[in-house]
Amino acid sequence: MAPEIISNAVYIFRGFLSPEQCDEVLAHFDDKERYIAETLSYNFNSKDNNSSPDAKVESKSRKGHVKFMNDVYDLPHGEKITMALDHYSSETGIVTYPDHVIFQLGIYDEPGDHFIWHPDHSISISNFNDEVRKVSASLQLTDPSEYEG
């Protein structure tokens, strides 16, 4: 399945998973621990860029809950998700590591819950290694007719 390329940074794979496959992915997270969704606000003028003592939790960028898992081979259809990331990597030259993938399920069950564009950290040559998130992907699991926004 070829993606729709919006820009060199945005690829859209329409119809990537069937509704039944989306339900399987959602069900897989049922027993995972639920956390309050947070983002950090960084002081990008600090010398270390990434772990500034001025970093603080903020909710302007995100409100809701999350669940995590990091085993791509345990997630239903994880191989297919990895293949999409590999396709993106081969097109852009950005190297991804399947064993460094962290799946984050965003849960938005209250009016006003949201997740907007935000920087994860400041990248510099000194901190650009395999542990730094270079690619973020979103997989729409809920039918758009089931919510507003």
Side-chain angles (χ1 to χ4, degrees):
M1 159 187 324
E4 176 183 342
I5 301 173
I6 304 300
S7 73
N8 67 339
V10 179
Y11 284 43
I12 298 176
F13 292 83
R14 297 198 186 277
F16 185 70
L17 295 179
S18 71
E20 296 77 23
Q21 290 171 322
C22 290
D23 290 343
E24 290 173 25
V25 172
L26 286 168
H28 194 74
F29 279 91
D30 282 347
D31 64 344
K32 304 294 183 218
E33 190 167 350
R34 182 179 172 128
Y35 300 93
I36 294 174
E38 300 175 330
T39 57
L40 293 177
S41 176
Y42 292 101
N43 174 0
F44 289 112
N45 296 318
S46 71
K47 290 181 184 177
D48 64 5
N49 291 316
N50 216 16
S51 57
S52 165
D54 297 331
K56 62 185 184 300
V57 174
E58 61 92 11
S59 62
K60 288 181 221 159
S61 298
R62 186 162 208 187
K63 182 178 179 289
H65 290 87
V66 290
K67 293 182 176 187
F68 297 97
M69 70 168 298
N70 61 359
D71 187 350
V72 68
Y73 305 105
D74 188 38
L75 184 70
H77 314 290
E79 300 85 13
K80 189 173 184 180
I81 295 166
T82 301
M83 285 173 34
L85 289 172
D86 288 345
H87 177 85
Y88 179 80
S89 294
S90 69
E91 292 287 318
T92 62
I94 297 174
V95 178
T96 59
Y97 302 91
D99 27 332
H100 286 126
V101 172
I102 298 173
F103 293 99
Q104 181 182 133
L105 177 68
I107 304 164
Y108 306 104
D109 46 17
E110 297 289 331
D113 285 357
H114 63 276
F115 185 35
I116 63 171
W117 191 270
H118 65 279
D120 286 333
H121 44 69
S122 176
I123 300 255
S124 71
I125 258 323
S126 64
N127 69 9
F128 195 78
N129 58 48
D130 63 339
E131 299 297 322
V132 173
R133 182 184 307 142
K134 300 173 193 82
V135 175
S136 183
S138 295
L139 179 59
Q140 180 65 34
L141 297 171
T142 305
D143 188 310
S145 68
E146 296 182 26
Y147 61 90
E148 287 184 30

